Amino acid sequence: MNEKFRAIGLDTEDKITEFIDYIDDLEDTEEIKSDVYRFFEEESSYNENHIPAYVVMTKYKGKYIVWVGDQCCDFAISYPPYNLCDIFSTYDEANEYYKSLAHSGIKPLSEQVEECKSQRIDEVDLRVSTMVPNVLNIKVWYKNCLIIEHLTKFDVQYINNGAAGQFSYIH
């Protein structure tokens, strides 16, 4: 438990969570800025219809609070980890923490695919699909031959090793 929360009357995880859930409704609250955090779980990042979490800086009673809001998922309720919330006395301290959280979560599937494609051997073709609920299924083709099947994570080194013939079985 972060001791700084006790200074504004929050002494349990439940109180912190409730505080963050209703912070926009409190008096003396001013949102300073917000940006995309991305996703908490891989499964959430695979569905392009899911809404990522956001990192927010809010001023409340002379303190700066930086927190990550929940993401919107259709298969589960997603609560943000309370340890991604902190309180600061100065804007500069809060801003450093804010910048460390912005865009630090798990990237959406489309970005993961593009990043993987940019690092793979040229003739490798990735075919990505999601299977029963939100399980990633990657098939890797090299020179029109299936070399890896049922890959569930983007592992560029593994994919490139397969294309280079460094293992002789289909995964």
Side-chain angles (χ1 to χ4, degrees):
M1 167 62 85
N2 187 328
E3 291 299 317
K4 296 181 215 173
F5 288 104
R6 293 184 197 279
I8 61 169
L10 304 173
D11 56 1
T12 67
E13 182 181 330
D14 288 341
K15 286 183 180 179
I16 293 170
T17 302
E18 184 177 343
F19 175 75
I20 294 303
D21 285 346
Y22 297 102
I23 195 168
D24 293 333
D25 299 331
L26 299 174
E27 290 183 31
D28 303 323
T29 302
E30 172 191 357
E31 183 177 308
I32 306 296
K33 59 184 177 175
S34 67
D35 201 347
V36 173
Y37 170 80
R38 292 190 180 138
F39 294 97
F40 299 125
E41 308 96 9
E42 288 284 346
E43 295 81 13
S44 299
S45 72
Y46 300 154
N47 188 327
E48 296 296 328
N49 294 323
H50 289 173
I51 299 169
Y54 280 78
V55 59
V56 181
M57 183 192 299
T58 301
K59 190 170 184 180
Y60 177 69
K61 294 187 176 182
K63 303 276 187 188
Y64 294 91
I65 302 169
V66 178
W67 51 282
V68 175
D70 59 352
Q71 59 195 22
C72 182
C73 300
D74 59 4
F75 65 91
I77 297 173
S78 177
Y79 295 106
Y82 79 95
N83 62 337
L84 293 180
C85 178
D86 208 344
I87 298 175
F88 301 90
S89 297
T90 69
Y91 173 85
D92 290 339
E93 291 174 312
N95 194 44
E96 282 303 309
Y97 185 61
Y98 173 89
K99 289 190 300 188
S100 76
L101 291 175
H103 302 278
S104 66
I106 298 169
K107 296 175 185 177
L109 178 63
S110 59
E111 286 183 39
Q112 291 181 48
V113 169
E114 288 308 310
E115 188 174 277
C116 186
K117 284 182 176 181
S118 73
Q119 298 172 23
R120 77 196 188 312
I121 293 175
D122 286 337
E123 296 180 49
V124 170
D125 180 27
L126 300 176
R127 298 181 189 171
V128 181
S129 63
T130 53
M131 299 180 348
V132 253
N134 302 310
V135 175
L136 196 62
N137 180 26
I138 305 168
K139 292 181 181 181
V140 180
W141 298 76
Y142 182 66
K143 295 184 178 179
N144 293 322
C145 293
L146 180 64
I147 62 168
I148 303 171
E149 190 172 15
H150 304 300
L151 191 62
T152 59
K153 287 188 89 164
F154 290 102
D155 183 339
V156 176
Q157 186 62 47
Y158 186 82
I159 292 168
N160 286 337
N161 287 347
Q166 294 183 1
F167 54 85
S168 59
Y169 60 90
I170 294 179
H171 180 70

